[in-house]
Amino acid sequence: MALSFYPELVEAIPENYQGVEVCEVIDLWLKDHPEAAQECRTILKNWLISTRKKNASDIDFGGPGCTERIWFRVYGTKKIMEDLGSFSFLESSAIILSWLTPAQVHTLFKERSVDFSLAFKVEEGSARFRGSCYFDNGHLGVNFRRINDKLYTMEGLGIPQAISQRLNLRYEKQGLVLVTGITGSGKSTTLDAVIDMNNRDNAAHIVIIGHPIEYVHKSKQSLVRHREVGPDVQSFEAGAVEALRQDPDIIVVGEMRDARTIATVLEITDSGHKAFTTLHTSSAIDSIHRIVAEFPPEEQDRIRNRLADVLSVCMSQKLVPTIDGKLVLAKEILSVDPSVQAAIRNKNIGEIYQMMVEGKRTGMCTLEQDLKDLLRKGIITQQNAMNYANNKKRMQQLLSMG
């Protein structure tokens, strides 16, 4: 027991209530006891501040899976934070509910999950987090992802100048840019770096559609607008369509989750705009296959041709453990030229890998080449180079070459 009001809260919950019913009682009880809600918010705020101090990317608590403990992910490793104590399922539910708005609580109880953003002021400025709340075996659980408040440069991410120029509105006015990778691979960090570069270098209008909004960009050279799915706009698809009527130069769609959103993003680039978006795929070739496969067979040739016309750059990435226990970005970069366009149109997607192998002059590389480079620099181990490679056979060949 860690919350001062815990016995009173337990007393308020009928013993036959379960799941959502219990959470509804807790939510109403907190509304009637604002001092208890404030205690909960203070505890959560302290935990979130702790993630910043410990360089943790995520915090998880609540539900049976967390065994009444607080878990952090630090440099890729999930671990219990013993110093933060133990909290019962009811206490965790109260702490979670104390920070949710009435609209978010309504969504949670109806859909059994809700995604949201959370921000508060700290000495350094502001702290932002992306929250995902859900039910775990009848109890509330939550994950908070810390939004990095540091913006990287293209050089800091190791992106070649030839690719940086293609990502920059100053040099290329239209086209589709994909940043891909599994959850937790740093896609948002890379995308924010690209947005910041354009914000600094171009007198333009950037519209960002996110779910939720993570890093908030202050307008510099560019006018930057942020539209969050839910509070500001109904969906990624709706936000993208509406953005076309808002005089944009760059439209950022947080994620392409379905065929309708993909079709809308292709339409954006067809209309002469520059679009940035993400996919949960681990390689450039997988990304192309994934986009095409989202559509019925009778539409796939048309989508393939449209994708060949508009795709500019695809960067797939992973965060790889380093020798000193941290994480480093490993990336695969495809820069689309006429040869790549022909391969996409003619269904010769397999040829694209070799084009990336031979495309260093234009900034291209395979993930295996980048892993080999990180190994050569003494940043990662040979075992991790193999573990994180997409093409194990090719990685083995590169390692055998010394």
Side-chain angles (χ1 to χ4, degrees), residues 247-260:
D247 187 33
D249 297 285
I250 295 172
I251 300 175
V252 182
V253 178
E255 185 182 344
M256 293 200 298
R257 295 181 176 176
D258 51 44
R260 294 176 64 177

Side-chain angles (χ1 to χ4, degrees), residues 30-288:
L30 289 173
K31 286 181 171 63
D32 291 335
H33 298 80
E35 71 289 345
Q38 183 58 51
E39 180 182 338
C40 290
R41 287 193 291 270
T42 299
I43 289 173
L44 178 56
K45 186 176 178 180
N46 289 337
W47 290 348
L48 295 175
I49 289 173
S50 184
T51 66
R52 293 163 59 87
K53 294 178 178 177
K54 296 182 179 182
N55 287 317
S57 62
D58 296 79
I59 173 175
D60 290 83
F61 64 92
C66 283
T67 63
E68 301 190 346
R69 313 307 279 278
I70 316 304
W71 296 65
F72 281 12
R73 183 180 293 279
V74 183
Y75 295 126
T77 301
K78 212 81 161 178
K79 57 181 70 174
I80 293 172
M81 294 292 108
E82 301 286 359
D83 59 314
L84 296 183
S86 176
F87 290 77
S88 72
F89 300 155
L90 290 181
E91 289 176 307
S92 294
S93 295
I95 292 169
I96 294 167
L97 289 167
S98 72
W99 270 89
L100 297 182
T101 67
Q104 290 164 353
V105 169
H106 176 77
T107 300
L108 172 63
F109 291 165
K110 181 180 179 182
E111 305 292 340
R112 301 300 191 266
S113 69
V114 63
D115 297 329
F116 58 99
S117 58
L118 184 155
F120 54 85
K121 292 182 179 180
V122 292
E123 290 182 4
E124 303 84 359
S126 65
R128 290 187 63 84
F129 297 82
R130 183 184 72 202
S132 179
C133 181
Y134 50 89
F135 281 88
D136 168 11
N137 198 19
H139 300 277
L140 274 188
V142 72
N143 167 270
F144 287 101
R145 167 69 53 84
R146 181 168 64 89
I147 307 305
N148 204 329
D149 48 14
K150 174 185 176 182
L151 285 171
Y152 287 84
T153 63
M154 296 294 98
E155 296 79 9
L157 292 174
I159 298 175
Q161 184 178 7
I163 300 301
S164 296
Q165 290 184 345
R166 297 206 69 180
L167 302 177
N168 196 322
L169 186 70
R170 177 186 294 180
Y171 301 99
E172 203 166 280
K173 300 298 184 183
Q174 61 190 65
L176 173 62
V177 174
L178 298 176
V179 180
T180 83
I182 63 171
T183 300
S185 60
K187 296 187 297 296
S188 296
T189 299
T190 298
L191 198 55
D192 283 328
V194 174
I195 294 168
D196 185 60
M197 174 186 66
N198 280 282
N199 188 14
R200 287 184 284 104
D201 290 356
N202 301 284
H205 184 194
I206 303 172
V207 179
I208 301 170
I209 306 155
H211 187 215
I213 290 295
E214 298 184 8
Y215 189 91
V216 176
H217 294 262
K218 293 183 178 179
S219 298
K220 298 174 183 175
Q221 282 278 83
S222 291
L223 165 62
V224 184
R225 296 198 185 274
H226 302 80
R227 307 195 69 203
E228 183 167 326
V229 174
D232 302 318
V233 67
Q234 289 294 321
S235 65
F236 282 121
E237 178 195 4
V241 171
E242 291 169 15
L244 289 173
R245 301 192 293 269
Q246 296 160 4
D247 187 33
D249 297 285
I250 295 172
I251 300 175
V252 182
V253 178
E255 185 182 344
M256 293 200 298
R257 295 181 176 176
D258 51 44
R260 294 176 64 177
T261 305
I262 292 171
T264 303
V265 171
L266 293 178
E267 181 182 332
I268 289 171
T269 47
D270 277 342
S271 64
H273 296 87
K274 200 170 187 68
F276 300 106
T277 188
T278 70
L279 274 176
H280 288 279
T281 48
S282 58
S283 73
I285 291 174
D286 284 348
S287 301
I288 295 169

